[in-house]
Amino acid sequence: MSGDTYLAYDYPLLSAFWTMMVFFLWIMWFVLLFRIVVDIFRDDELSGWAKAGWLVFCIVLPFLGVFVYVIARGKNMGRREIKQARDQQQAFDSYVRETAKGSAPTSSVDELAKLSEIRARGDITDEEFNRAKQMVLSGSRH
């Protein structure tokens, strides 16, 4: 038998489980580290030097830095994340409202006022004005 065949006998199911568990915890550790780095930059209460200090602490001594950060400032991490999500939602909602206002259908009075301004400037003739006015009043907007 070749060396590949013996691998299944040398690596039992429990060892595979522990390997997967360690790999999962390793990935979760990096997720936590990245969330902390994002939280450091998101926090407006920290000065630039404090942000630099926390960042260096979390990068140079990652395990200790992350644990100390979670203990010292972890309570407000969720609050800052929720605040940012709410701010983004409000900004999106106001953008949608402003965009919807711009594309709202104009009334016939507004269109007639615009037509009379265009005629007063001399951009259209009286005949074109009367034709456009009839279209606005009849409801067809071509």
Side-chain angles (χ1 to χ4, degrees):
M1 298 181 107
S2 68
D4 294 336
T5 308
Y6 290 114
L7 181 62
Y9 298 112
D10 293 338
Y11 203 68
L13 185 61
L14 188 59
S15 292
F17 170 76
W18 283 115
T19 300
M20 290 174 60
M21 180 65 80
V22 168
F23 183 72
F24 174 75
L25 291 174
W26 185 68
I27 296 295
M28 290 306 297
W29 173 257
F30 278 108
V31 168
L32 180 62
L33 179 66
F34 291 139
R35 286 195 57 177
I36 286 176
V37 168
V38 167
D39 187 64
I40 289 171
F41 287 110
R42 177 186 298 147
D43 192 4
D44 293 332
E45 296 173 5
L46 285 177
S47 68
W49 287 107
K51 288 179 183 184
W54 276 113
L55 191 61
V56 167
F57 189 40
C58 288
I59 290 175
V60 172
L61 299 169
F63 292 107
L64 184 62
V66 167
F67 288 136
V68 170
Y69 188 86
V70 168
I71 290 169
R73 302 184 48 84
K75 183 171 71 172
N76 293 325
M77 281 177 67
R79 291 182 186 144
R80 283 187 289 272
E81 190 170 344
I82 289 171
K83 181 184 177 302
Q84 182 198 21
R86 283 187 184 146
D87 291 345
Q88 285 179 340
Q89 184 66 39
Q90 288 174 352
F92 178 74
D93 290 345
S94 67
Y95 170 75
V96 168
R97 268 189 241 104
E98 290 299 318
T99 304
K101 279 183 188 178
S103 64
T106 57
S107 68
S108 57
V109 173
D110 293 334
E111 289 187 29
L112 288 174
K114 288 178 187 176
L115 280 173
S116 63
E117 287 176 19
I118 293 172
R119 183 180 66 170
R121 284 193 316 245
D123 292 337
I124 59 174
T125 63
D126 287 335
E127 180 184 320
E128 292 171 330
F129 171 77
N130 288 331
R131 208 171 344 137
K133 183 171 102 174
Q134 289 301 322
M135 289 174 51
V136 167
L137 293 176
S138 69
S140 72
R141 303 200 176 172
H142 298 287

